[in-house]
Amino acid sequence: MMKLYILRHAETEWNREDRIQGQMDSPITREGQAAIESMREELASVPFDRCYTSDLKRARKTAEGLLKSRSVPIIEVEALRELPLGPWEGMLFKDILKDPISRLYLKTPEKYHREGLMDFHDLYRKTEAFLRRLEQTQDEHVLIVGHGVSIRALYHVMEGVAVRDFWSGPIAESLGLGICAYENGAWQVLRRADKKDGYSY
């Protein structure tokens, strides 16, 4: 059996402000750094074979902090990146709601698309390809560090939830620990660590 230990990156300054990050980055807060150290202790007994992380700085730094002093390979994976949000990146969440496109993003995600940027359908395809690659490995304990949207996509692909129902559940808390298992050819979500609402970042 393979177990995935899935974590959203630590809290950043823009998370605290409820500001959209997308492919942009902001510094991890002091509280976020303390949470990394606490989670590192919680996971100390897990013999990780490998770590897969988004290549965005906030996720990579979280992964490095969680595995400090361990010789666990850290591999950057595009499927774990946050969805790119174009002109919204750097804006407060409440301000993007004034943009008519936000209704597509939040209410009919299957219709949301920005020219030249990855959308939810693309994210699902990349996530499914990533899971198929994982299934071919012999790893037993795998650390995953991603983002609110990419982690939600991971759960949805495992459980067969359609793109149109993407927002049927909240996104993960910063450094909230989710656990999934792969056994006998099937994925199962064992534990989630989600926020109380589905939309805020």
Side-chain angles (χ1 to χ4, degrees):
M1 179 173 74
M2 177 190 298
K3 267 194 175 180
L4 304 186
Y5 298 77
I6 302 172
L7 289 157
R8 186 181 178 192
H9 63 81
E11 180 194 63
T12 67
E13 297 290 352
W14 282 10
N15 286 148
R16 179 172 288 178
E17 296 171 12
D18 207 18
R19 195 177 292 277
I20 300 294
Q21 290 182 108
Q23 306 270 298
M24 294 177 71
D25 262 313
S26 67
I28 292 174
T29 62
R30 277 181 297 194
E31 290 80 4
Q33 193 57 51
I36 289 173
E37 292 167 11
S38 176
M39 183 57 68
R40 183 169 67 235
E41 292 178 13
E42 186 175 334
L43 295 174
S45 64
V46 181
F48 289 117
D49 299 296
R50 212 170 307 279
C51 170
Y52 295 95
T53 180
S54 157
D55 60 351
L56 298 177
K57 186 181 291 185
R58 59 192 183 274
R60 175 79 196 205
K61 282 188 169 295
T62 298
E64 290 171 350
L66 291 169
L67 294 170
K68 191 176 181 180
S69 304
R70 292 216 230 181
S71 57
V72 176
I74 299 176
I75 300 164
E76 295 178 353
V77 175
E78 186 182 6
L80 295 173
R81 276 187 198 167
E82 188 60 290
L83 201 66
L85 294 172
W88 291 347
E89 294 181 3
M91 292 176 61
L92 293 172
F93 182 78
K94 64 183 177 67
D95 291 335
I96 77 162
L97 299 179
K98 300 168 187 172
D99 185 340
I101 299 174
S102 69
R103 184 165 182 82
L104 294 178
Y105 179 75
L106 296 170
K107 301 298 182 185
T108 54
E110 74 278 11
K111 297 178 183 176
Y112 170 78
H113 180 72
R114 288 185 185 274
E115 191 63 37
L117 296 180
M118 184 167 68
D119 59 23
F120 288 100
H121 297 283
D122 298 324
L123 181 58
Y124 269 46
R125 283 191 290 271
K126 289 178 184 293
T127 300
E128 184 158 9
F130 171 58
L131 287 174
R132 298 294 86 81
R133 291 196 302 273
L134 275 183
E135 291 166 9
Q136 303 306 310
T137 73
Q138 301 301 311
D139 294 338
E140 295 181 6
H141 299 92
V142 177
L143 179 63
I144 302 282
V145 182
H147 303 266
V149 168
S150 64
I151 289 171
R152 175 57 45 180
L154 198 64
Y155 292 149
H156 281 347
V157 170
M158 287 178 182
E159 298 184 316
V161 177
V163 171
R164 68 175 177 275
D165 297 319
F166 186 86
W167 297 110
S168 59
I171 60 177
E173 283 277 14
S174 292
L175 275 182
L177 178 62
I179 299 177
C180 300
Y182 180 69
E183 191 173 21
N184 299 323
W187 287 99
Q188 185 179 5
V189 178
L190 304 177
R191 167 179 164 176
R192 284 183 171 86
D194 293 337
K195 295 164 70 76
K196 291 185 174 64
D197 69 271
Y199 300 140
S200 72
Y201 280 72

